[in-house]
Every structure is written in C-alpha cells, then in structure tokens.
Amino acid sequence: MELHDYIRRSATLDNQACIKSVSIAFLSNFTITGLGETMQVLCHDDGIAAEVYTAPYAQYAQEIISEKSGLYRSSPDIIFIILEPENLLGDFYYFPYRMPPDDRKAFIEQKYAELEGLLMLLKSRTKAKIVLGNLALPTYSSRGIAEDKQEWGVKQAVQQFNIMLRSLCLNDPQLFLFDINQFYLQVGCDVACDPRMIYRGDMKISPLALVRLASTLMGYVFPLLALTRKCIVLDLDNTLWGGVIGEDGMDNIKLGPDKLGKPFLDFQKRLLELFERGIILAINSKNNYDDAIAVIRNHKYMLLREDMFAAMRINWDDKAKNMVALAEELNIGVDSFVFIDDDKSNRALIKEFLPEVKVLDLPADPCLYAKALEELHVFNLFSITDSDTNRGKQYVDQKKRSELEKTMPDLASFIKKLEIKIRIGNGDSAVIPRVAQLTKKTNQFNLTTQRYEEEDIAVFMESADYLVKYIDVEDRFGEYGLTGTAVVKRHDAEGYWEVDTFLLSCRILGKGIEFAFMQDILDEAAKASIKQVRATFIPTKKNAPAAGFLSECGFVNDTVEGEIQHYHVDIGKEKKREKMMEVKLWKH
Amino acid sequence: METLKELMARVLHIDAGELTDTASSETIASWDSFNWLMLVSEIEKNFSVQFAMDEVMGIKTYKDIKDALRAKGVTEGIGE
C-alpha cells in the first residue's frame, strides 16, 4: 500500500473490534501529511484504536507554549516531535561559515537550549511519552572534502546538537530519542528525501518514506500499550536452514558459512541475539521429530540449540493447534507470539485462526530473512532491565522444572525440592523501571491492575504514606529476577494499611511465593502496630488467577462496590502456612 | 503498465467514467492538492516521464494531463 492508500483507508476504519486505544500527537516543522493517517491504519491492523492529532505545521513551538493548544486538548498518550534542520537552524543551514567557529558553537548551543526549554515546558504539562527525532545530518557542505577539517563545521554542529539531545533523553523515563539518521540509512537518503517532492509540497520526507516512518514509530506504540511481543515461534525447514531435512538429509541442508548457507546462519545470529536479549524461542514445525532434533543437536553450524528453545512442537499436527499448545505450555497468551514460517499456507492458517499472533511475512528469498526480522518493531521496551534479558533463559529453566514436577509425588515436596529463595526489598530507586514495568505488564496475578509510570513509583517510594515492596526469586534451576511488587498505602493514624497493588509475574505462581510475600506485608504491619490490613480485588478479563487469593490468605470479604470487592484481615487472624522457602531481606 | 484512466481512478478512488476531459479538482472531490502530488508521482513512475514544476502547477484538467504526456512523447495508455 502507498501513502494515499493509507490515507483513504484511514477514513473508513472500523475500530469496534479493537482491544486497546491510544491518542497520538505529531509536532513538526514541515509537512507530514499522511503520517498520522498511516499510523491509524497500522494501529487498527494491530487491534489498536488510534486518535491522531497533527499540529498545524511549523507551529510546534506555539503548540507547546500555549496551554490551550490542540496538542493539549487532544490529551495525547504519546507525542512525536519531528524537526528538520533547515527550518530550525535558519540562515545557519545555508551560510554557517559566515560566522567564526566560536560563534557557530554558541549558535548551536543556543538553538539546543531553546529546544530543551520547550521540552521541559512540555514535560511539565503532560504525562505523555515524548519521542523526539534528532536532526538529519547535512549531506552537503560548501567546504567539500575539507568539511571535516573545520572546527564546529556545519556537520559537526548538527552532530553536537544531536549528542546533546541524546544526553537529555538518556536517563529520562519520559523522553525518547528517535534517531532519524538511522532511519534515513535504512530507507536510503535519496529515496527518503526527493527534492522534487520538497518543492512541490514541502514534503521533506517522501511519501514512500513516510509509510516506512509510520511503521518504525509503531515501535514506540506497542510498549506504550504493553503490546510488546515476548516469544518467537519458528518453523524449521527453509526457515532456520535451507532445504527439507526429511528429504535432503543432514549433509545437504543449507546452513553454514558458504554462499547458500550464510543467509540462514546470519538469520540464526539475529534470533540468537534476540534470545540473549530475553525473547523466548519456540518451535512449531512439521517434521519427523528425530530428523529435526538431530539437526538441532548435531549440525555443525546450528546456532540455536535445544536448550535455547523453551518449548517445541515438532510433529504433523496442524500449526494452529500446536500454537495453542505452546501458549498453554509457556503460560503466555498467543498475543505474545511472533510466528516465522516460510510457508505461505501455514502463515495464512495462523492469520485466519489466531489473528492475535503476529505473523512475519517472510520474503521468498532467504537473503532477505534477517532484514525482515530487523524491521519488525514489536519487541521494543522503553527500557531493558536485567529481568528482560534473562527471560528467554528463564523459560528454558521452567521447562526443566516442569520435567522435575512430573516426577514429584505432591506439590509441597515439589516446592521444597525447588529450594526457592526469595528476597524482599523496599525503597531502592534502582528498581523503579522494573517495578513500573511490572505494573504495566502484569495481567493475570494482579489484584487491582493499577498501571503506574516510573514517575509514579518514584513518588510512592519517597512518600512516607506509601510502602513499595518487591521480590526477587531464585531456585535451584536459576533466577527469575524481580518478579513481584506491592504498593501499600499507609493509614497509620487510622490504624490500618491498604493494599493498593499486589502482583506477581505468572511464571513464579504455583509455588506458594505469593503467600510468603503477603505474609511479609502483614508481618511488617504488625511491627508497625497496625491492627488491620485492607485490600481490594478488581476483576478483569485476565486476572482470574488472583480471584481467590485474598480469601486463601484469610482475608474476609466485606462489601462489593460495583466490580470492586473489598476485603480486610485483622493482624494475627491471617491463615499461617507451612514455611517452604527461604525468605530474606533484600539488601542492596 | 496502467492506462492513465486506470491509474487516476485508482489513486483518486473514483469511477473511470468520471474522468471526462474537463474533470478537475473542481469536479472531483478527492482531487485535492495532496492527492494531486501523489498522482503526479504515480504518473511519472508509470509513464517514465518527469514533470517540471510549472507543469505540476499549470495542469488543471484531465485533458491537460493527456496533453502534457503527449508533449513528452507518450503515445500508449492515454488514448480514448
């Protein structure tokens, strides 16, 4: 589809079936007609109803400054600011060398300070995520080959501007740098910037590139809505290697450093890197199990080995059925899956029966496999924590645990044999990104499903009226990382505490950890001479696993107020449980 | 290669029958300034020609487009 096709489709979208919604705003200093419309269509195709506000062009500063601007009225969840250097830098863009080097430096620093001021103002007025494109590097200099012999030449000036922007965004949970130069490298500058389109319609980014830009910017929308994909489900023949193992045999499949094998080898490298970043890998393939597993175990150039796959379905069942079984085994939704298969009919089957699965339309030519994977923007997180990078391995550990569970006579002895150790901490600001992320991503074992930004958690941690706790879990098979958190509102004067948030990642459920964590909160309340702890359960479509938890802890159901169920427990009346794990204080 | 009529009907999302010689941005709602730029790009690609800025700005009607293409030596795909 081309830009005008997207614009036309955007006018007739039916968003009724969408499960999520988002409000997006664009600020720019040049014409970006069609970008918002394309985003709306892409959102729709991923089940997101998007409202889009595009500020009148060249009025980005006014829109930020005026409190009554359309920008603020649109109450955006995310704001994209895309600026081009010619408008921003004015005469400097054409005549930088009219000034001596010191003045050029001062000029750029002043331009940066102006933009930083605008951004600080914007930050003070909105909670939206702000994504700021940097400036495109000039492709021309009157100094020609001597350009890089200049102090604060035009290129260095723009580079320095970009470095300052990057530093500004580096540790700010609200600000994100979008590297437009990387985008131009991917698209090709001559394609992205067509002088004829610039003069005909002030289109500094060509229609073709605007469509690609929308797709790239979707990479920010997915994590905003907690739609980040967690797991890649892979076919084998002609996907991880060339050829069909059952027909060609181990010696003839294409995989390795030679010309025919290298595209597959490089594709596996990209997948391996994603695994090391924490993406779960799984197999869904029609093969004889023995043929396929022999390649995975023994082929000299196979990079993805058996212990990297958290689950495997290598059989002759239909792939939709296998996909559902994988979701059950991994205890994640099919909406966390990306499916990669060279076979069009398998892709069509999954699209038809499991539309929540993201299906990568793998190009026919294996040379283009790695690039197709690189252009998927569905694995993004706003910040990557240690817990994220370990996840792929954790799911593999889980597979080993399940195997142990099968040989265990009863749950209690199973739990004891796991040798679980939990550490409970509070108040360390280093965990804020992970704690906020958990509140946004945890759907199943979550009493109230309160979503918090990093800024909110920071406020709670600093406040004497709140207690923020979090737990870190490991067992004999490995570490789960920081996988549970609770926010407790203290009403010390009134003699009670209120559990505002209590959640655990589903991969540590079923081990009694949730009870130990709640007991820790109750013990701490007792120490503070609190008489009662109150809690609520707010049912959602997904949090049924947490429904009976409060009762199981000994909380008493008081009232039901609409959907909200209120509970309380008097300290000392809670249901005590057998101690099955080591619990200690997390000393940072 | 598409004919001019097919191409314009597709980009403007209209019935080819609406493209009479006098059809213009005045008579076709979807023929706005933005879609006109899209049309110019598509026509250039389809017929392997390039329009100068004054041509882009001077063309008003469907007939003007055909005349401009003929002037550039295009013979196929624009006949009636």
Side-chain angles (χ1 to χ4, degrees):
Chain A
M1 286 215 296
E2 303 212 15
L3 189 63
H4 53 89
D5 300 315
Y6 281 101
I7 294 174
R8 192 167 56 242
R9 256 196 81 196
S10 74
T12 59
L13 291 177
D14 178 4
N15 278 333
Q16 285 207 352
C18 289
I19 47 164
K20 299 257 183 177
S21 64
V22 67
S23 173
I24 305 172
F26 290 99
L27 299 179
S28 76
N29 61 357
F30 60 102
T31 308
I32 50 167
T33 305
L35 181 60
E37 289 90 335
T38 307
M39 289 283 278
Q40 273 181 312
V41 174
L42 295 177
C43 279
H44 169 86
D45 291 350
D46 269 302
I48 305 162
E51 291 285 330
V52 168
Y53 173 73
T54 303
Y57 98 103
Q59 289 187 29
Y60 68 98
Q62 295 92 316
E63 289 274 321
I64 292 171
I65 293 164
S66 163
E67 275 181 281
K68 290 181 179 142
S69 68
L71 170 68
Y72 298 116
R73 281 202 306 275
S74 74
S75 8
D77 301 307
I78 187 162
I79 302 169
F80 292 103
I81 305 177
I82 303 169
L83 303 176
E84 62 84 29
E86 184 183 341
N87 275 328
L88 192 83
L89 302 177
D91 270 356
F92 181 87
Y93 187 77
Y94 282 104
F95 304 108
Y97 297 110
R98 286 178 178 174
M99 294 180 199
D102 285 350
D103 289 3
R104 295 201 288 269
K105 177 171 186 285
F107 176 82
I108 283 296
E109 285 171 351
Q110 181 221 331
K111 280 288 166 193
Y112 168 76
E114 285 169 13
L115 183 58
E116 185 185 348
L118 278 177
L119 289 169
M120 292 304 116
L121 182 63
L122 179 59
K123 262 173 59 104
S124 72
R125 289 182 175 170
T126 178
K127 292 190 86 177
K129 297 285 184 199
I130 301 164
V131 179
L132 179 68
N134 60 10
L135 295 184
L137 290 180
T139 51
Y140 170 79
S141 161
S142 62
R143 296 308 189 250
I145 60 172
E147 166 62 26
D148 285 307
K149 299 283 187 190
Q150 316 288 321
E151 282 290 348
W152 285 87
V154 65
K155 196 171 88 189
Q156 191 199 354
V158 173
Q159 279 169 335
Q160 289 294 340
F161 189 95
N162 287 347
I163 288 170
M164 290 187 278
L165 275 188
R166 184 179 190 278
S167 303
L168 181 69
C169 299
L170 185 63
N171 288 312
D172 188 316
Q174 194 179 2
L175 282 181
F176 296 86
L177 187 77
F178 170 64
D179 188 355
I180 201 144
N181 290 292
Q182 187 185 330
F183 170 74
Y184 284 143
L185 278 175
Q186 282 162 348
V187 179
C189 206
D190 287 344
V191 175
C193 306
D194 178 350
R196 291 177 311 152
M197 295 311 286
I198 295 173
Y199 292 112
R200 285 173 187 178
D202 195 30
M203 299 190 67
K204 292 260 159 61
I205 302 182
S206 72
L208 194 76
L210 272 180
V211 172
R212 294 275 294 272
L213 181 61
S215 157
T216 305
L217 296 183
M218 285 301 288
Y220 294 89
V221 175
F222 295 131
L224 184 73
L225 299 175
L227 293 173
T228 301
R229 303 276 164 167
K230 295 177 185 161
C231 176
I232 302 177
V233 181
L234 293 153
D235 173 50
L236 296 175
D237 288 334
N238 286 315
T239 300
L240 289 192
W241 56 73
V244 177
I245 183 63
E247 291 169 16
D248 301 332
M250 181 88 93
D251 295 335
N252 296 314
I253 57 169
K254 300 178 193 97
L255 177 63
D258 58 296
K259 267 188 190 161
L260 288 173
K262 194 151 190 313
F264 294 98
L265 187 67
D266 289 348
F267 184 52
Q268 288 203 20
K269 284 183 188 168
R270 281 282 179 256
L271 290 164
L272 176 59
E273 194 191 20
L274 284 170
F275 169 74
E276 288 175 2
R277 207 220 80 182
I279 301 298
I280 306 160
L281 300 181
I283 296 174
N284 183 355
S285 157
K286 286 187 205 270
N287 286 93
N288 289 324
Y289 179 82
D290 292 341
D291 294 344
I293 204 73
V295 179
I296 294 168
R297 286 177 186 158
N298 304 325
H299 193 283
K300 188 177 169 195
Y301 293 109
M302 190 77 190
L303 287 176
L304 302 175
R305 297 293 188 182
E306 194 174 4
D307 62 0
M308 296 169 193
F309 294 105
M312 296 192 275
R313 288 292 179 282
I314 303 173
N315 54 38
W316 298 95
D317 287 342
D318 85 68
K319 293 211 174 187
K321 192 177 149 199
N322 277 341
M323 200 68 102
V324 173
L326 286 169
E328 279 170 14
E329 180 177 338
L330 294 169
N331 200 16
I332 58 178
V334 289
D335 58 0
S336 296
F337 284 150
V338 171
F339 179 55
I340 303 183
D341 193 323
D342 66 295
D343 184 290
K344 272 191 191 162
S345 63
N346 284 330
R347 300 204 298 255
L349 177 85
I350 298 296
K351 285 182 191 172
E352 170 75 20
F353 289 100
L354 299 167
E356 306 90 340
V357 174
K358 180 90 186 173
V359 177
L360 174 63
D361 281 314
L362 209 56
D365 185 345
C367 297
L368 301 173
Y369 282 8
K371 190 165 167 59
L373 183 63
E374 289 162 18
E375 286 175 3
L376 260 185
H377 303 290
V378 299
F379 303 116
N380 285 308
L381 295 168
F382 284 126
S383 61
I384 296 193
T385 64
D386 289 347
S387 172
D388 297 316
T389 51
N390 287 330
R391 186 167 300 112
K393 183 174 170 303
Q394 284 162 348
Y395 275 81
V396 173
D397 295 341
Q398 181 62 37
K399 186 168 72 173
K400 294 178 191 159
R401 275 180 208 107
S402 305
E403 282 157 13
L404 180 67
E405 192 171 8
K406 283 177 199 150
T407 67
M408 289 288 158
D410 70 286
L411 192 64
S413 63
F414 164 69
I415 290 172
K416 285 181 196 162
K417 285 215 166 138
L418 283 175
E419 297 164 19
I420 298 169
K421 295 188 183 75
I422 67 179
R423 292 189 300 168
I424 304 183
N426 63 71
D428 181 24
S429 61
V431 305
I432 289 174
R434 174 60 182 161
V435 167
Q437 186 189 49
L438 276 175
T439 71
K440 286 194 274 191
K441 284 172 46 173
T442 310
N443 295 316
Q444 298 189 75
F445 197 87
N446 194 336
L447 289 182
T448 54
T449 320
Q450 300 282 358
R451 310 295 195 195
Y452 290 120
E453 298 297 328
E454 292 180 24
E455 299 88 320
D456 300 319
I457 300 297
V459 168
F460 293 151
M461 276 196 181
E462 281 175 18
S463 163
D465 294 335
Y466 285 90
L467 184 63
V468 179
K469 282 183 174 272
Y470 40 84
I471 62 169
D472 168 278
V473 179
E474 67 170 288
D475 65 19
R476 53 185 275 214
F477 295 104
E479 293 181 3
Y480 294 90
L482 200 165
T483 36
T485 190
V487 177
V488 179
K489 178 133 203 311
R490 306 174 60 138
H491 298 269
D492 289 27
E494 292 85 10
Y496 74 93
W497 286 2
E498 169 94 36
V499 178
D500 169 274
T501 292
F502 186 93
L503 62 87
L504 270 77
S505 167
C506 55
R507 57 182 197 268
I508 57 167
L509 290 182
K511 300 174 173 59
I513 293 167
E514 58 273 36
F515 298 108
F517 189 24
M518 182 58 87
Q519 188 62 51
D520 178 76
I521 293 172
L522 299 176
D523 289 347
E524 184 149 349
K527 266 189 236 159
S529 305
I530 295 299
K531 299 280 179 272
Q532 190 180 84
V533 172
R534 299 178 188 174
T536 48
F537 176 68
I538 306 174
T540 66
K541 275 187 189 151
K542 291 188 167 172
N543 72 351
F549 172 68
L550 289 168
S551 300
E552 288 173 54
C553 290
F555 279 70
V556 182
N557 193 344
D558 297 320
T559 54
V560 179
E561 189 188 312
E563 288 278 272
I564 306 173
Q565 302 167 20
H566 294 276
Y567 289 81
H568 80 273
V569 65
D570 292 321
I571 296 298
K573 297 277 177 64
E574 69 268 20
K575 190 174 163 201
K576 300 274 189 196
R577 282 166 195 271
E578 184 191 358
K579 193 168 182 304
M580 296 190 290
M581 61 200 69
E582 186 186 322
V583 180
K584 60 180 178 184
L585 183 66
W586 184 345
K587 296 190 187 104
H588 289 277
Chain B
M1 197 177 88
E2 282 178 296
T3 66
L4 179 64
K5 230 175 206 167
E6 287 165 352
L7 184 156
M8 290 188 59
R10 174 173 62 81
V11 174
L12 297 176
H13 207 51
I14 53 170
D15 195 278
E18 290 183 53
L19 289 165
T20 60
D21 274 358
T22 53
S24 70
S25 59
E26 308 278 316
T27 64
I28 294 170
S30 57
W31 185 332
D32 57 19
S33 59
F34 181 79
N35 273 338
W36 171 234
L37 287 183
M38 298 297 106
L39 262 184
V40 172
S41 293
E42 294 272 306
I43 293 169
E44 287 180 328
K45 211 162 46 177
N46 192 60
F47 294 99
S48 307
V49 295
Q50 295 208 347
F51 289 106
M53 194 74 165
D54 54 356
E55 291 174 309
V56 174
M57 296 176 68
I59 291 171
K60 302 290 178 209
T61 64
Y62 178 62
K63 182 170 180 299
D64 291 345
I65 302 175
K66 290 193 292 184
D67 291 345
L69 283 172
R70 281 201 192 93
K72 291 178 186 300
V74 176
T75 51
E76 304 266 311
I78 52 173
E80 293 304 308

